[in-house]
Amino acid sequence: MGDIPATMKAVVLKGPNEFELQEVPVPQPTGDEVLCRVRAIAICGTDPKIVAGKFPGMWPPAYPCIIGHEWAGEVVELSDDLKASKKVAAKYAVGTRVAGEAHKGCGICLNCMTGHYTVCLNYGDNASGHRHYGFTSQGAYAQYIVSSVKSVTPLPDGLSYHQGAMLDSAGVALHGVQRGAVKTGDAVLITGPGAVGNFSFQYSKASGARFVAMIGRGPRLEQAVKMGAIGIDYEKVDDPVAKVLELTGGIGVDCTVECAGTQQAIDWAIKATRKGGRLVMNGLPTSTIEVPWGQMTLAELDILGVRANPNTAAPALALMASGAVTTDGIHTHTFPLDQFAEALATFVERRDGAMKVVLEP
Ligand SMILES: [Zn+2]
Ligand SMILES: [Zn+2]
């Protein structure tokens, strides 16, 4: 692995919309941490909002900071604690290729104890052991990151670092489809054909959905259609919900996976889901959304919130490695880390059909 340098290049956020490439100290792994060399990191939909300072005092809690959480790389050093365990040291030996995960629960609260570590009750309290890499703890827009071993998963042979960097989107989508209990024969609707929507489509098909309709527009919708979704272009049809009802004999779909987080998409999702159906909420609205609670109550809709990707890393990577799920057409652009600004603009403006944009530190 060669020698680990004392300093590394990192994109340092100094304030809202203020960032620069800096030389900063390489962090040291302690406790249950490994030090990893970051080889690929994808821009998350949340990142531009963090850069713009849309979550003051929360993400990040303070400046300067390093964000970014959708990464893959290789283990270059283990903490002394980890080296003490032969089994752990063997599984995460120096040179092991891994994909990272943003959340690490405190491990001691009720939710962590029952496996729901992305809704850790000690969220943001780093002293409790909780970490949210790239949000409340150091992220991966850098050449190195320290991460708990709990938050890295070995990459199966045959998967590239670029594919590993898709794990966050893929894992969120898998968690959502699992929350929605999509099963053989189900009719499924997805609103929002971004990366999470696109992976949600693939997992729904892999779960046996009889069809998956997708409401969206532009190149992203075209990509979903290319993969086999029934595309409903809301710029071209008068009423996307009517199209969904047509497909289901007027009843509505068994499960809707909402991946846009907008008022319009959430309205469609509620109206297009059958009575007694499931509504999976992947989209994260940044403004207040009005919902017809009375209508939803009388329809006995199951509303299922989704927070990140708990316990989905290993199956999501295995499904990628088996070919059941592909990142083709989802990962569209790659830049070196020093072109962070260019990469961010490409992602935000969806230049040239950009969906997932990867940086190589
Ligand atoms: Zn993400
Ligand atoms: Zn916890």
Side-chain angles (χ1 to χ4, degrees):
M1 290 305 105
D3 293 328
I4 299 158
T7 62
M8 64 177 182
K9 287 191 174 66
V11 176
V12 176
L13 200 54
K14 300 193 293 181
N17 285 317
E18 235 191 289
F19 55 83
E20 68 181 15
L21 199 69
Q22 285 183 5
E23 202 66 31
V24 300
V26 172
Q28 300 289 319
T30 58
D32 68 353
E33 291 168 343
V34 284
L35 176 69
C36 297
R37 175 77 171 89
V38 182
R39 294 295 180 186
I41 167 150
I43 300 177
C44 178
T46 317
D47 291 343
K49 296 172 191 164
I50 298 176
V51 170
K54 293 252 170 84
F55 310 100
M58 180 170 90
W59 298 337
Y63 297 102
C65 67
I66 299 167
I67 66 164
H69 59 277
E70 304 191 354
W71 66 276
E74 73 212 283
V75 175
V76 293
E77 198 183 338
L78 289 80
S79 73
D80 289 340
D81 286 3
L82 291 181
K83 281 182 209 156
S85 161
K86 272 197 186 119
K87 271 191 184 170
V88 175
K91 183 173 178 187
Y92 300 97
V94 168
T96 304
R97 301 160 68 251
V98 295
E101 202 176 314
H103 286 263
K104 185 230 160 188
C106 73
I108 50 174
C109 76
L110 175 69
N111 283 352
C112 284
M113 295 287 274
T114 52
H116 306 286
Y117 60 89
T118 60
V119 285
C120 173
L121 299 175
N122 289 318
Y123 182 92
D125 178 0
N126 283 3
S128 75
H130 179 271
R131 296 287 184 277
H132 194 192
Y133 298 109
F135 292 82
T136 61
S137 318
Q138 193 218 297
Y141 288 123
Q143 290 178 310
Y144 294 88
I145 183 173
V146 286
S147 170
S148 166
V149 273
K150 291 181 182 174
S151 308
V152 296
T153 304
L155 272 179
D157 290 342
L159 284 190
S160 67
Y161 290 127
H162 287 182
Q163 288 170 304
M166 298 297 114
L167 174 61
D168 186 85
S169 308
V172 170
L174 179 54
H175 181 47
V177 169
Q178 288 175 342
R179 291 274 285 152
V182 174
K183 59 185 184 302
T184 308
D186 275 356
V188 175
L189 169 68
I190 293 164
T191 48
V196 173
N198 219 302
F199 280 121
S200 299
F201 158 73
Q202 296 189 62
Y203 291 125
S204 298
K205 287 303 276 185
S207 302
R210 71 176 187 273
F211 74 77
V212 182
M214 177 87 78
I215 300 178
R217 70 185 171 94
R220 293 182 171 200
L221 183 64
E222 281 165 30
Q223 173 61 25
V225 169
K226 219 185 282 172
M227 298 179 83
I230 299 173
I232 302 174
D233 187 331
Y234 65 81
E235 288 181 334
K236 291 183 184 155
V237 301
D238 288 339
D239 182 0
V241 174
K243 287 278 165 202
V244 179
L245 294 178
E246 251 172 54
L247 291 167
T248 53
I251 292 172
V253 295
D254 303 292
C255 181
T256 297
V257 183
E258 204 296 297
C259 301
T262 63
Q263 178 76 57
Q264 189 181 43
I266 291 169
D267 285 342
W268 291 331
I270 293 166
K271 288 181 185 149
T273 309
R274 71 162 164 82
K275 289 180 181 174
R278 287 101 60 198
L279 183 48
V280 177
M281 307 302 289
N282 272 336
L284 181 61
T286 44
S287 57
T288 305
I289 302 285
E290 282 182 28
V291 292
W293 275 118
Q295 186 188 322
M296 290 158 72
T297 300
L298 293 177
E300 283 206 356
L301 285 192
D302 285 347
I303 313 292
L304 301 149
V306 172
R307 178 133 198 201
N309 45 346
N311 308 305
T312 52
L317 291 172
L319 283 163
M320 259 184 222
S322 76
V325 166
T326 180
T327 60
D328 292 353
I330 296 176
H331 168 213
T332 53
H333 291 69
T334 307
F335 292 88
L337 187 65
D338 58 11
Q339 288 176 26
F340 180 74
E342 177 77 6
L344 196 67
T346 301
F347 176 76
V348 172
E349 294 163 21
R350 299 187 188 179
R351 285 181 196 163
D352 184 27
M355 195 179 309
K356 283 310 265 188
V357 175
V358 167
L359 288 140
E360 293 177 331

